[in-house]
Amino acid sequence: MGHNPTALEASNPIDIYRSHISDLLASITGKSAKDIYERLSWTQTFDKGDLGLAVPSLRVPPKEASAKASEWSENFPDSDLVEKPVVAGTFLQFFFKPHPLSKLIVPSILQKKTLYGTNPKLGLRDEADSSKGKKRMVIDFSSPNIAKPFHAGHLRSTIIGGFLANLYEAAGWDVVRLNYLGDWGRQFGLLANAFQMLGSEEKLEKDPIGHLYDIYVEINRISKPEEDEIKEKKDALTQASANGRDTTELEKEIQALESRSVNEKARQYFKRMEEGDEAALATWRRFRDLSIQRYKKTYARLNIHYDVYGGESTVELERMDRAVKQLEESGLSEESQGAIIVDLTKNPKTKKLGKALVRKRDGSSLYLTRDIGEAYKRVEVYQPDKLVYVVASQQELHLAQLFKILELMGHADIAEKCQHISFGMVQGMSTRKGTVKFLDDILRDVGEKMHEVMQTNKTKYEQVENPEQTADTLGITAVMVQDMSGKRINGYEFSLDRMTSFEGDTGPYLQYAHARLCSITRKAGLSAEDLESADLTLLSESHAINLVRALSSWPDVVQNTLKTQEPVTVLSYLFKMTHMLSSSYEVLQVVGSEPEIKKARMALYEAARQDVKKIALVHRVSHQPASISKAGHDTPLSSCQPLICSIQPVYAGMHTRPLGSQITEYAS
C-alpha cells in the first residue's frame, strides 16, 4: 500500500479497499496504482457499486475505453474484499463483499465511537513529522455590533463559523476562534451620554445588551428632531448662498444647534475615548465587558465558544497609520476630492474591484484601513496558516478589495492565507413581537413554537419530564439544521412552522431518529461485551448490508466537507442515514430475535447510533460514550445524549442536555 502516502487506513477503512483495488488493477493493466487510486470515487447510488472508475480517466482513448473496461473486468483477480467489477459502458463498478466490510466497519465504529472517520494528521504541517507542529487557522465569525441588533447575517456567521472551526479542529488544526466585535466608534459616545440620561444600573446588570440597545434607540429618537432642524437650516443656507443673500445669522444658528446637539456631544465623548481619557474609557469598557458576558451565555446555548473576543477597538492606531503610510509609499493610494482612495480600476485585472476608500475627507479612517491593520495583527500575534472570514455575501467586494490591496502592498504571503467564507441571507427573520433584536429573541421564539408543537399531542406531551427544556433543545437544533440544509451561498426563508416540524428533513426529526436508536439500545439489554462478540456475518439482509455501506462512507464525507466547506455535505449524509434506519426497523428487529441475530443487529444499530451521534465529526470536548446496560436495565438518559449534543459539534459545539426516550415517546 506504499504507492499512496495519503492512504491513511487507520482513519479511513475504505482506503484499504482503494489500495487493494488499485494494486489488483495495476497488476493487469500496466497503469500506475497511484493513478488508479486517485481516480476511484464513490458512486451516487448503491446499485452502481461502492466505488467507481472511469476508464478514460487513466488516459485510455475514448474509442478503446469500453473494450478495456470489459478486458479489465474479465482479468480482475479473485479478491476476498471485492466482487469482480461490473462494466457499465466505460465505467467499472466495484461492489464490496458484505461480510468483510461489516467485520471491518462495525467494530471500527464501536471502538472509535465519535472519532471514527476523523484524521488529526491532516492538520500537521508535515504528516510524516509531527514535531513540526500543527497548522493554525484564525477564524473570524459572528461579530455582532454592541448595542445593535443581532441580525440574520450574524446568526448564519455564528452557525457556519462554529461548524468550520470544529471541522478543522477534528482534522488536527490548531483553531483560534475569534469574535471581532463592532465595539468602537461615535455610537459609543452616543451610548455613554444616553446612559447618563436614560440608563438604569439594574437593567444594565440584568440585560446589558438589551438595555444598551433600548437606550441607543431612544437617544436616536431624541436626536432626530435636532438633526432634522439642522438639515433644514443647512438646506436653507445652500439656497441662500445660491441666491447671493447674507448667510451670517443662519451660519451662527447652525453652529449653535450643532454645538449643543446630541450627536455633537457624542462626537466629543468619543474624541475623549480616542485620546485615552480614562473616565470615558472606563464607561466604554464596562459596556463592552458586560455585553461580552451576556454574549458568552447566549453562545453557550448554541455550544459556541471563542478563544478571543477582539473587535474594532483592539486595532491599534499605530497599525492603521502604518497601513496608510505603506499605501502611500507604494503608490497605491491617491487623493480624490480631499479623501484618500485606492483606485483598482486602473489595472485591467482588478478593474471590477472599483475604488476603495481608505480615509475620509475629515481624516477619519474607514473599515478598510482598520481591516488592513487587523490583518497585520493577526499574522504577527498568531502566525496562522489560514485566515478565515465568515461574512455575508454583501461584504464580498469589501473583502476582495482587502485581500487584493494586501497583495499589492507587497503582502502576498498574507493575502494567500486569507479566505472569505460567503453566505446568502435569511429572509423573514422577525420575532412574533416584531423585528428581531437579538439572538436570544430568535431562540426564545423557536423554543416557544416548538413547545406549542409538542403540546398538540397532550398524551405524549405529559410523558415528557421537562417539556420546556426539551423544547429549547429541539428549537436550537431546528434553527441550526434549517440554516445548514442548503448550500451556504443560497439564502432561505426563516420559517418557524417548517423548522419545528417532526416531518421531513428537520432538526426535530434528527433528534427523534437519535432518540429512537437510544430506545432500541435500552430495550435490547445487551452489554458492550455482547456486541464485541457479535457474529457480523449474520447481517445478511439488504437493509443491513446497505446500512454498513453507508456507514463506511462517513470518513470520505468528512474529507469532502473539508474541501467543500459546506455544512450541507454533512447534513445530506445524516438525513440519508436516518432515512435508511427508519426503513430498516421493521426488517431488522432486535427485541424478539434469536440471540445471535439480536447481538449482530444491535451491534449495527449501536454503530449507527455512534455515527448519528458523532456526526460530531469534530468534538472539542469529549462526550461520555453511551454505555449499554449489562443487566437489561434501561441505559441512563445521560449516556444517551440528544442529537444536538452529538451532531452539533459539527454545527457549533457541545450540548449536554439529555433528551433520550422523552423524544422517542413524544414523537413516535
Side-chain angles (χ1 to χ4, degrees):
M1 298 178 191
H3 58 263
N4 185 43
T6 64
L8 297 168
E9 286 84 358
S11 63
N12 188 351
I14 297 307
D15 283 343
I16 295 173
Y17 283 79
R18 288 190 176 92
S19 294
H20 179 67
I21 292 169
S22 301
D23 287 337
L24 293 181
L25 270 182
S27 70
I28 62 171
T29 64
K31 300 294 182 180
S32 160
K34 183 176 182 296
D35 287 345
I36 296 170
Y37 184 102
E38 291 172 350
R39 287 160 179 78
L40 287 168
S41 60
W42 284 99
T43 59
Q44 292 297 311
T45 54
F46 288 147
D47 62 310
K48 293 180 172 60
D50 294 289
L51 291 175
L53 177 68
V55 173
S57 70
L58 292 171
R59 293 181 294 279
V60 174
K63 292 181 179 179
E64 301 176 18
S66 182
K68 281 292 183 186
S70 298
E71 176 190 329
W72 294 353
S73 176
E74 290 173 13
N75 295 332
F76 193 80
D78 290 338
S79 165
D80 293 332
L81 297 181
V82 295
E83 308 286 357
K84 273 190 177 293
V86 174
V87 178
T90 60
F91 284 82
L92 289 177
Q93 298 171 345
F94 296 91
F95 290 80
F96 301 160
K97 290 185 176 180
H99 294 161
L101 184 66
S102 296
K103 289 194 284 187
L104 177 66
I105 298 300
V106 174
S108 180
I109 297 175
L110 295 181
Q111 179 187 358
K112 296 177 182 177
K113 298 183 172 64
T114 56
L115 295 179
Y116 166 69
T118 61
N119 178 12
K121 290 188 177 181
L122 294 176
L124 295 176
R125 288 201 164 94
D126 183 346
E127 289 186 23
D129 184 2
S130 60
S131 68
K132 293 182 180 179
K134 296 180 177 182
K135 289 181 280 190
R136 176 174 292 165
M137 168 201 280
V138 175
I139 181 166
D140 170 347
F141 64 104
S142 191
S143 305
N145 298 300
I146 291 176
K148 291 187 179 180
F150 190 103
H151 60 65
H154 298 134
L155 175 67
R156 296 213 71 192
S157 176
T158 303
I159 294 172
I160 294 167
F163 172 93
L164 292 174
N166 290 314
L167 175 71
Y168 275 87
E169 203 160 53
W173 284 62
D174 177 15
V175 177
V176 178
R177 295 165 172 82
L178 189 151
N179 200 338
Y180 186 71
L181 301 172
D183 64 351
W184 195 249
R186 186 188 60 83
Q187 72 267 26
F188 282 93
L190 199 62
L191 203 56
N193 290 331
F195 189 75
Q196 289 177 358
M197 294 169 56
L198 309 163
S200 160
E201 283 292 334
E202 182 182 349
K203 290 180 180 179
L204 181 67
E205 290 290 339
K206 183 179 179 181
D207 181 14
I209 296 172
H211 184 53
L212 291 176
Y213 173 77
D214 289 342
I215 63 172
Y216 184 75
V217 170
E218 181 62 17
I219 198 71
N220 275 286
R221 186 191 67 77
I222 292 171
S223 70
K224 189 175 187 307
E226 293 178 347
E227 295 306 307
D228 288 345
E229 185 179 0
I230 291 169
K231 181 179 183 303
E232 185 179 322
K233 290 190 178 295
K234 283 185 175 180
D235 289 342
L237 178 66
T238 301
Q239 187 68 35
S241 297
N243 294 332
R245 296 199 301 269
D246 182 15
T247 60
T248 304
E249 289 302 316
L250 200 51
E251 287 174 8
K252 288 180 180 179
E253 287 180 32
I254 293 171
Q255 187 176 6
L257 284 171
E258 286 184 332
S259 66
R260 62 175 182 265
S261 70
V262 168
N263 279 323
E264 178 58 27
K265 290 175 183 176
R267 277 188 283 270
Q268 291 299 321
Y269 195 100
F270 181 60
K271 184 180 179 184
R272 287 169 55 201
M273 288 170 57
E274 288 188 305
E275 291 172 349
D277 181 275
E278 188 49 45
L281 286 174
T283 300
W284 162 80
R285 200 176 293 116
R286 183 165 180 242
F287 290 166
R288 185 181 191 274
D289 291 347
L290 286 171
S291 296
I292 288 174
Q293 287 177 25
R294 183 54 183 262
Y295 280 134
K296 285 180 178 179
K297 291 179 181 178
T298 304
Y299 288 132
R301 295 180 66 192
L302 299 174
N303 302 314
I304 295 281
H305 80 279
Y306 289 92
D307 302 296
V308 181
Y309 277 86
E312 296 166 8
S313 66
T314 63
V315 186
E316 297 88 344
L317 186 61
E318 179 273 328
R319 292 184 194 275
M320 290 188 284
D321 288 342
R322 178 168 37 127
V324 173
K325 186 177 180 181
Q326 286 186 350
L327 285 168
E328 184 180 341
E329 290 175 349
S330 63
L332 288 171
S333 64
E334 60 186 73
E335 187 175 332
S336 176
Q337 298 179 342
I340 304 297
I341 67 166
V342 175
D343 188 354
L344 295 168
T345 65
K346 293 180 177 180
N347 187 328
K349 293 181 179 179
T350 60
K351 187 175 182 179
K352 64 180 181 180
L353 296 179
K355 298 177 181 180
L357 188 59
V358 174
R359 184 163 277 179
K360 290 182 180 180
R361 295 178 189 177
D362 62 6
S364 59
S365 296
L366 290 167
Y367 287 120
L368 182 63
T369 320
R370 195 175 295 274
D371 286 346
I372 293 172
E374 174 66 11
Y376 288 163
K377 182 175 183 177
R378 292 178 189 182
V379 170
E380 291 171 14
V381 173
Y382 302 111
Q383 299 179 329
D385 299 274
K386 189 185 275 283
L387 285 169
V388 176
Y389 298 76
V390 186
V391 185
S393 55
Q394 288 100 320
Q395 297 296 318
E396 198 162 325
L397 176 61
H398 170 73
L399 287 170
Q401 289 177 338
L402 171 64
F403 301 163
K404 178 53 69 174
I405 289 171
L406 282 168
E407 178 189 328
L408 295 174
M409 289 173 71
H411 299 298
D413 57 327
I414 298 178
E416 288 170 2
K417 295 175 181 179
C418 294
Q419 182 182 11
H420 176 202
I421 298 293
S422 182
F423 54 84
M425 294 306 296
V426 185
Q427 305 301 320
M429 197 174 83
S430 61
T431 66
R432 294 168 168 187
K433 299 175 183 177
T435 305
V436 163
K437 291 181 183 178
F438 307 109
L439 179 56
D440 281 331
D441 298 328
I442 302 166
L443 300 183
R444 180 204 63 224
D445 266 28
V446 178
E448 289 176 357
K449 175 65 177 178
M450 196 71 246
H451 196 202
E452 291 174 10
V453 172
M454 292 166 61
Q455 288 175 309
T456 58
N457 190 317
K458 187 176 180 181
T459 302
K460 293 177 180 178
Y461 177 80
E462 289 174 350
Q463 298 171 19
V464 179
E465 184 179 332
N466 190 334
E468 288 81 8
Q469 184 174 312
T470 299
D472 184 67
T473 302
L474 285 167
I476 291 170
T477 317
V479 170
M480 291 191 160
V481 168
Q482 178 173 254
D483 191 88
M484 303 170 77
S485 292
K487 288 196 171 183
R488 283 186 284 104
I489 200 60
N490 296 334
Y492 65 88
E493 188 74 24
F494 190 85
S495 170
L496 283 174
D497 290 334
R498 186 171 65 249
M499 76 169 75
T500 55
S501 174
F502 277 99
E503 304 294 328
D505 291 349
T506 66
Y509 172 77
L510 294 183
Q511 284 275 21
Y512 167 64
H514 177 259
R516 188 166 183 181
L517 286 167
C518 289
S519 178
I520 293 171
T521 298
R522 285 190 299 273
K523 292 175 182 177
L526 296 174
S527 69
E529 290 78 10
D530 288 333
L531 302 194
E532 289 170 7
S533 65
D535 180 2
L536 299 175
T537 63
L538 296 175
L539 298 174
S540 57
E541 299 86 355
S542 61
H543 286 78
I545 292 167
N546 285 339
L547 274 172
V548 175
R549 295 168 78 187
L551 289 169
S552 73
S553 69
W554 171 248
D556 276 356
V557 171
V558 178
Q559 298 300 312
N560 192 34
T561 307
L562 282 164
K563 294 176 184 176
T564 65
Q565 297 179 313
E566 291 281 1
V568 72
T569 308
V570 168
L571 261 292
S572 297
Y573 170 86
L574 180 55
F575 283 122
K576 175 183 175 182
M577 175 59 65
T578 52
H579 293 320
M580 290 178 67
L581 283 164
S582 181
S583 67
S584 298
Y585 294 133
E586 290 298 318
V587 179
L588 304 176
Q589 293 185 9
V590 173
V591 178
S593 298
E594 295 178 12
E596 291 304 312
I597 291 177
K598 178 181 179 180
K599 285 165 58 176
R601 289 176 178 174
M602 192 60 242
L604 175 60
Y605 282 140
E606 175 61 12
R609 191 179 73 82
Q610 289 294 340
D611 197 63
V612 170
K613 173 184 174 183
K614 123 255 47 27
I615 298 284
L617 75 118
V618 278
H619 282 340
R620 281 198 80 258
V621 180
S622 61
H623 289 303
Q624 292 298 317
S627 60
I628 298 177
S629 170
K630 292 182 180 289
H633 300 295
D634 278 1
T635 306
L637 285 179
S638 61
S639 69
C640 213
Q641 299 173 2
L643 189 59
I644 195 168
C645 85
S646 13
I647 65 169
Q648 205 172 326
V650 181
Y651 306 151
M654 309 318 108
H655 227 77
T656 55
R657 289 176 287 179
L659 299 183
S661 62
Q662 297 179 38
I663 300 177
T664 313
E665 296 298 334
Y666 169 73
S668 60

